Amino acid sequence: MKAVAVLDRTKEPGAIGDPLYVDVVTGLAEAKAAGLSKFAKDPVVVGGRYGLSSKEFTPAMVKASSTS
């Protein structure tokens, strides 16, 4: 795995990152520090938001954006 996309439904103004993104990055770093990571090279973690203001977001939308 080269990259991980973390999509969150929340916006935290002033925070270092959205809550789920921070949890994933922290978990990967803690696993590496404990010698439990099985990654030869750390994956790139990309954060993003979806569905804010009750906007619809479907799996088809993810697939369409990943192919462009």
Side-chain angles (χ1 to χ4, degrees):
M1 174 174 34
K2 295 179 183 178
V4 176
V6 180
L7 300 176
D8 208 334
R9 278 190 87 123
T10 63
K11 182 176 180 181
E12 296 292 329
I16 194 166
D18 295 325
L20 186 57
Y21 171 84
V22 173
D23 286 349
V24 170
V25 170
T26 301
L28 289 170
E30 288 177 353
K32 183 177 180 179
L36 301 173
S37 177
K38 298 190 187 220
F39 295 113
K41 183 178 176 189
D42 292 339
V44 174
V45 182
V46 180
R49 289 184 208 107
Y50 74 96
L52 296 177
S53 301
S54 300
K55 295 196 173 156
E56 182 179 356
F57 188 78
T58 66
M61 291 172 163
V62 173
K63 186 175 181 183
S65 66
S66 67
T67 58
S68 56

